[in-house]
Structures are given as C-alpha cells and as structure tokens.
Amino acid sequence: MSTVHPISAGGPGPLFWVLSVDKPGVVSTTRSGTYTPRPGATREDAYLEIYQEVTAGHHALRGATVLFFSLEPNRL
C-alpha cells in the first residue's frame, strides 16, 4: 500500500513506513508502503494519513490501537 503526493523540489523524497494495528480478539494487521510528504507536512500529518488509509479499507480496523509505527527515509 502506498500513499504518494507531489514532491517539492529539495524535499525529503519518498519515506518508507510500517504500521501495525490491533483490535484485540477481532483483527490485527501490519502494512507498509511509501509516503511522499506534501510541502509543510509534519510527521503527525503522515501518521494520521497513513493510519486513515490502513483502517478505512477494513471496517473491523476502525478505531484499532497502533502497536508500531515507523517512518524513515527510503534509501540505503
């Protein structure tokens, strides 16, 4: 799953993310993808957008607890 937005000149480029969520006794999942921040976006903006994308596609995941979130530059 990827979330891609236009990149600004000199921006950080795509970031790699991993998000694990859980609804005890119901469902849990770990997803990953890339995220290119909009100009002026914050880490919180990225987190909220990614969480929304992961949970919106599966009704049982709505309101799930985040177990793990990582957002790092997508380069070696």
Side-chain angles (χ1 to χ4, degrees):
M1 172 178 304
S2 294
T3 305
V4 180
H5 302 289
I7 186 167
S8 61
L15 304 169
F16 176 73
W17 60 267
V18 177
L19 178 73
S20 295
V21 295
D22 180 57
K23 227 171 182 186
V26 179
V27 67
S28 64
T29 190
T30 297
R31 304 271 176 89
S32 63
T34 59
Y35 175 86
T36 301
R38 294 183 186 112
T42 65
R43 185 176 178 87
E44 180 183 21
D45 294 334
Y47 167 80
L48 292 172
E49 244 182 273
I50 292 165
Y51 178 86
Q52 177 63 30
E53 182 175 322
V54 169
T55 59
H58 194 296
H59 179 71
L61 287 175
R62 291 190 185 135
T65 300
V66 175
L67 302 175
F68 178 79
F69 176 67
S70 177
L71 183 67
E72 304 287 335
N74 192 26
R75 64 179 183 275
L76 296 175

